[in-house]
Amino acid sequence: MEKWKCNICGYIYDPVQGDPDSGVAAGTAFENIPADWSCPVCGASKDNFEKV
């Protein structure tokens, strides 16, 4: 599973960890995160992320 980086603040979304505080379970691929999810650090939308 690939990691994704927020282009605004540099937060790395790691699918192994997920984002449990935002309701995204561990093991969730970035592509499977709901469209309305946003960066937990700066609030940027999913389209502000790129693969790293």
Side-chain angles (χ1 to χ4, degrees):
M1 293 181 128
E2 298 167 325
K3 295 181 182 180
W4 290 73
K5 177 180 148 189
C6 177
N7 290 323
I8 308 299
C9 71
Y11 167 80
I12 302 291
Y13 174 76
D14 182 351
V16 171
Q17 297 177 355
D19 182 15
D21 291 339
S22 298
V24 179
T28 303
F30 188 79
E31 296 83 2
N32 296 330
I33 296 173
D36 63 348
W37 177 85
S38 58
C39 176
V41 174
C42 72
S45 62
K46 275 182 72 173
D47 57 353
N48 286 301
F49 281 72
E50 65 180 19
K51 264 188 243 186
V52 292

